[in-house]
Amino acid sequence: MKIIYLLLGGLLSLISCGNHNNPTAPEDNNNSMYFPSNIDTNWATIPINQLNWNVNAIQDLKNYLAEKNTKSFIMLVDGKIAMEEYFDGQTKIDDWEWNSAGKSIISTLIGIAQQEHILNINDKVSDYLGKGWTNMPIEKENLITIKNLLTMTSGIDDTKQLMIKSNLNYVADAGNRWAYSNVFQKLIDVISKATNEDYETYFGNKLKNKIGMDGYWNFGLIFTIYHSTARSMARFGLLALNIGKWQNEQIIDKDYFTESINSSQNINPSYGYLWWLNGKSKYMVPADQTVYDGYLIPNAPYDMFAAMGANDQRLYIVPSKKLVIVRMGNAANPSNPKFAVSGFDNELWAKINKIIN
């Protein structure tokens, strides 16, 4: 009988270890989590020799970062700074562009608006932007929900970057096609209409000021891009690591945030609500309808999720290691800028693994 119990125990342990589906916050260690004050000049650090990391591999990582056109690089453990490096004249007070990594901020604001009962992600976009906001037949436009914009499944033509009505053409019914598109920008208009507030004001009051971020939005003709210091990106990553909780305040509904960092549809399971997800069986990338088998970043931990932008702006969050990593800079491989399959992320994680593992 004792042997049977031991066998059952081992089986249950294996099943538990194999459950790689749902990233969760390190809540059992939440009391040890550090949050910087809104004035972060004294942001706490943690000596690398306390982490049992391989210090001999750190210089190799720094050399790689410099070689790959990095401007800023930060690693947080338990919220404390374990590494903070700047290159090519960049400093901790200099802003840099997030590019599409800023999409994850917009996802977070949608969740905050939903928890305030201002909107629901299952609402039609036309409930906020009015009928005829696209160039699609009305019956097709009416299929598009806020959730479709969050998950890149609107069915709108993804080949046009300028988000004017004449470019918002029908390709597929909403929910039937995954295609990375600039149409996510319409969520900014949804937030403004739903809250009856200027978008930046709502962002400042509900998120930016609460976690001590700096920075500003640049609303260009084609692109809407957030700019901030690397430390501000790290703050947002720390909020994400703790599933929307900052110190003692649950800034964004935990259930919504958990949904946002898990597969949002089956077409591209490596995509949540404007967040990229590792550890899934397949993935797709921007401007490409190819479905690739395997993890988005094979060398990265299975439970990593990330905000990712053009020219390799990266915010990696790893719940199992209570780790936040920021990389800002110019494109690592200018001759091969293709997202995810360029090799940069995988090479970078190979260097990181030599340190943290």
Side-chain angles (χ1 to χ4, degrees):
M1 185 64 72
K2 184 176 181 180
I3 293 173
I4 292 173
Y5 285 147
L6 287 171
L7 288 172
L8 285 173
L11 179 60
L12 288 171
S13 176
L14 285 171
I15 292 170
S16 175
C17 291
N19 184 8
H20 293 176
N21 295 321
N22 300 307
T24 56
E27 293 179 274
D28 55 333
N29 294 311
N30 195 255
N31 290 336
S32 66
M33 191 66 63
Y34 169 84
F35 295 89
S37 69
N38 280 13
I39 302 173
D40 68 10
T41 52
N42 295 317
W43 194 321
T45 61
I46 183 167
I48 288 178
N49 58 15
Q50 290 184 14
L51 296 170
N52 294 319
W53 284 3
N54 177 14
V55 296
N56 295 325
I58 291 174
Q59 191 58 51
D60 185 42
L61 171 61
K62 290 180 182 181
N63 293 342
Y64 179 78
L65 291 169
E67 175 191 333
K68 293 298 182 178
N69 306 312
T70 302
K71 290 281 189 177
S72 309
F73 184 80
I74 297 175
M75 294 178 71
L76 303 182
V77 178
D78 286 332
K80 297 176 182 178
I81 295 174
M83 278 187 67
E84 184 174 26
E85 301 292 334
Y86 296 94
F87 306 86
D88 194 29
Q90 190 81 354
T91 74
K92 68 180 180 182
I93 62 171
D94 292 327
D95 292 330
W96 195 257
E97 61 206 35
W98 289 39
N99 296 333
S100 285
K103 289 180 172 68
S104 299
I105 293 177
I106 296 170
S107 170
T108 300
L109 290 174
I110 288 288
I112 291 171
Q114 178 171 267
Q115 78 189 25
E116 295 183 329
H117 307 292
I118 295 170
L119 55 77
N120 187 291
I121 63 171
N122 295 311
D123 293 340
K124 293 186 296 185
V125 175
S126 56
D127 290 345
Y128 301 91
L129 303 188
K131 291 183 179 179
W133 67 274
T134 71
N135 201 35
M136 301 165 68
I138 292 298
E139 66 273 16
K140 299 301 184 183
E141 178 183 285
N142 281 339
L143 298 176
I144 303 172
T145 65
I146 293 172
K147 187 173 181 179
N148 290 132
L149 296 186
L150 286 169
T151 60
M152 296 292 179
T153 58
S154 67
I156 293 174
D157 180 7
D158 57 301
T159 63
K160 307 291 196 309
Q161 299 277 28
L162 181 60
M163 290 298 101
I164 56 177
K165 180 176 177 177
S166 59
N167 285 344
L168 304 182
N169 296 309
Y170 175 85
V171 174
D173 283 3
N176 290 334
R177 181 175 185 265
W178 188 91
Y180 195 83
S181 169
N182 230 12
V183 76
F184 84 94
Q185 292 179 4
K186 292 298 179 181
L187 290 170
I188 293 173
D189 299 331
V190 168
I191 290 169
S192 294
K193 293 288 186 180
T195 62
N196 200 29
E197 280 189 65
D198 173 76
Y199 169 78
E200 284 194 277
T201 300
Y202 189 75
F203 165 57
N205 291 337
K206 300 298 180 179
L207 179 58
K208 178 183 177 182
N209 298 338
K210 289 192 173 188
I211 67 173
M213 293 176 69
D214 56 38
Y216 61 93
W217 289 93
N218 179 15
F219 296 93
L221 178 63
I222 295 178
F223 299 109
T224 298
I225 295 175
Y226 194 62
H227 297 248
S228 82
T229 61
R231 283 192 171 194
S232 276
M233 184 182 267
R235 284 175 177 271
F236 183 63
L238 184 56
L239 177 73
L241 176 65
N242 288 279
I243 312 297
K245 188 174 183 179
W246 188 264
Q247 295 179 335
N248 296 317
E249 182 180 1
Q250 192 69 43
I251 290 176
I252 177 173
D253 177 70
K254 180 180 175 182
D255 290 340
Y256 170 88
F257 196 87
T258 300
E259 281 180 24
S260 75
I261 57 170
N262 280 279
S263 300
S264 59
Q265 29 64 49
N266 293 324
I267 308 167
N268 179 11
S270 295
Y271 206 71
Y273 297 170
L274 305 180
W275 285 98
W276 290 94
L277 317 174
N278 205 37
K280 308 304 176 184
S281 61
K282 59 183 179 179
Y283 65 93
M284 297 173 67
V285 298
D288 190 349
Q289 285 296 297
T290 304
V291 178
Y292 297 91
D293 291 328
Y295 287 10
L296 183 70
I297 305 173
N299 283 335
Y302 75 89
D303 64 331
M304 185 209 75
F305 60 98
M308 296 183 167
N311 296 332
D312 301 308
Q313 316 314 317
R314 296 292 188 261
L315 174 60
Y316 304 119
I317 297 100
V318 185
S320 62
K321 296 183 180 294
K322 296 182 287 182
L323 185 66
V324 172
I325 299 177
V326 170
R327 186 273 180 190
M328 289 177 142
N330 293 310
N333 299 314
S335 62
N336 180 23
K338 194 169 183 180
F339 168 78
V341 293
S342 71
F344 168 68
D345 292 280
N346 217 37
E347 289 174 0
L348 176 58
W349 270 101
K351 303 289 186 183
I352 294 170
N353 285 338
K354 289 179 181 178
I355 296 171
I356 66 175
N357 290 334

